[in-house]
Amino acid sequence: MSRIVSLGSINVDRVENATAAELDALEAQYDWFPEPGETVEVSAVPAAFPEEADTVFHGGKGANQAAAAASAGGDTRMLGKVGTDHREFGVRERLAGAGVDTTGIETDQSVPTGTAYVFVDDDGENRIVVRPGANDAIDWAYVEAHYETIVDANCLLIQNEIPAAPVSKLLSELSTEPTRPTVVLDPAPAEGAAALLDDDVVDYVTPNESEYAALESELEAFDGIVVRKRGGDDVVVDAERAFTVTPPTVPVADSTGAGDVLNGFLGARLAAGDSLPEAVGVATVAASLATRERGARNGVPTLADVRAFADANVNAR
C-alpha cells in the first residue's frame, strides 16, 4: 500500500447556509469577504461576525485531503496541530475513523483548534473564511521531528493553510534527498502561495478558478504539472500532453471540500502507480460524488464507490 503524508490544516467547520441578500450584506460590510469558491485567511474574526452556525463539521484542507487519500486506498498519516478544545469536537477520533494515522498530530496548549466559517449559497457554492488557530503553531521544529516520515512517503500533500516558512524549508530539504515523495500542492488560500510555487520540488499544483486567476503569472512559469479545478466544468491538466476530464453531473448539496477530495484521491492514486489520466479521472469523479452530502468530509466516497459509479456511467452510454 502506498504511503501518503498530509502536512497541513485541521479545522472545525462552522457552516452557515446564506441567501444572496445575506452574502451581499457581508460583502458590503467586509472588503475581504471571499468570492464564490474562494478561501480567505484572517487572524481573527470581528465580534459582529456570524457565530451561530447552522451546522458544525470537521474540516481543514490538510485533514480533508488526508481523509480522502485514505478512502482512495493510501496508507495515510496526518501531520498538524489542534488546540485543547479538540476533544469537544472529536477531531482526532473522526480522522482515525476515516482510516487516517493521527499519531503525529500534536496539541498546542495556547490556542484553539483552527476554525473555518463556511458560507454556502443556494447553489451549493461556498465561500470560506479561515481563522488558523493551532494551525499557525506549526513550525520547523515540528516538521523536522517528522522529517523521516515525510521523506519515506510516496506522496506528500501540502496546502497553504499553515505557515509557509516551515513548508518552504521542508521543500528545500527534500531537494537534497536522493529519493523523495511526489509533492502535490493545493495553493489555497492563494495569498502567499506564490513562494511555494517557486520551488522545483513541487510536482503538481491544483488551483481552482479563483486561485488560478490570482496566481496566473506564477502558474505560467511553473515547471510542473497544473491540474486546474473548475467546479462543474472540465478539469484542465497542463502537462507534457495536455488533456481535460469532464466531471459527472450529480445533485449538489455542498461543494465544500470537493477540491480537497480531488487532491487526496489524486495523490493517493499517483502514489499507487496510476497514470496521470487515470489518477485525474478517478479524482474528478470522487470530487463530484463528494458534493452530494453537506460537510467537507461527509460525502467522501470510497475507491470502490468511485469505480462502481464510473463503470455504471460508462455502461449506460
Side-chain angles (χ1 to χ4, degrees):
M1 183 182 291
S2 54
R3 299 181 304 281
I4 316 298
V5 170
S6 180
L7 169 63
S9 56
I10 304 170
N11 288 336
V12 174
D13 287 355
R14 305 178 65 86
V15 180
E16 180 84 16
N17 294 298
T19 65
E22 289 169 333
L23 292 169
D24 288 344
L26 287 167
E27 286 183 336
Q29 189 171 5
Y30 306 112
D31 58 7
W32 45 259
F33 194 74
E35 297 293 325
E38 186 180 14
T39 298
V40 172
E41 182 178 303
V42 295
S43 58
V45 294
F49 206 65
E51 278 289 346
E52 294 300 324
D54 291 331
T55 315
V56 175
F57 293 114
H58 295 88
K61 290 186 176 299
N64 294 343
Q65 292 180 19
S71 288
D75 177 7
T76 306
R77 175 171 292 194
M78 179 70 213
L79 297 180
K81 291 192 176 186
V82 294
T84 54
D85 59 345
H86 72 89
R87 293 183 184 87
E88 176 185 350
F89 301 104
V91 174
R92 278 198 178 100
E93 292 78 4
R94 179 63 187 275
L95 271 173
V100 177
D101 183 337
T102 63
T103 56
I105 297 174
E106 292 186 4
T107 301
D108 189 282
Q109 301 295 325
S110 61
V111 290
T113 301
T115 304
Y117 297 83
V118 182
F119 297 86
V120 182
D121 65 22
D122 293 336
D123 295 323
E125 185 63 89
N126 64 74
R127 307 169 188 227
I128 302 174
V129 178
V130 173
R131 183 184 64 191
N135 297 313
D136 257 0
I138 296 174
D139 55 14
W140 174 243
Y142 172 80
V143 175
E144 186 177 29
H146 298 279
Y147 184 74
E148 291 306 318
T149 296
I150 295 170
V151 171
D152 289 342
N154 300 111
C155 179
L156 171 64
L157 302 171
I158 55 175
Q159 313 83 34
N160 195 36
E161 285 188 339
I162 63 174
V167 179
S168 293
K169 183 167 177 58
L170 169 63
L171 297 178
S172 178
E173 293 293 324
L174 288 177
S175 69
T176 67
E177 296 290 342
T179 60
R180 62 169 179 83
T182 297
V183 178
V184 180
L185 167 65
D186 184 348
E191 185 176 355
L196 299 177
L197 278 170
D198 284 341
D199 202 299
D200 291 339
V201 172
V202 176
D203 301 293
Y204 297 85
V205 62
T206 61
N208 67 14
E209 285 294 79
S210 64
E211 293 145 12
Y212 187 89
L215 298 166
E216 188 168 3
S217 60
E218 290 85 358
L219 289 167
E220 288 178 353
F222 179 64
D223 287 335
I225 294 171
V226 179
V227 179
R228 186 173 170 186
K229 300 177 286 193
R230 302 170 67 233
D233 294 329
D234 287 0
V235 175
V236 177
V237 180
D238 183 6
E240 186 175 352
R241 289 188 176 184
F243 62 93
T244 61
V245 175
T246 301
T249 301
V250 300
V252 176
D254 184 2
S255 63
T256 307
D260 296 331
V261 173
L262 188 148
N263 274 60
F265 266 76
L266 175 65
R269 297 320 305 164
L270 288 170
D274 288 4
S275 68
L276 179 58
E278 289 171 336
V280 175
V282 168
T284 300
V285 173
S288 295
L289 297 183
T291 66
R292 299 180 298 179
E293 302 287 342
R294 293 186 66 231
R297 288 188 233 150
N298 289 349
V300 178
T302 65
L303 181 59
D305 290 338
V306 172
R307 287 175 170 165
F309 182 91
D311 289 344
N313 279 268
V314 168
N315 292 334
R317 291 175 185 169

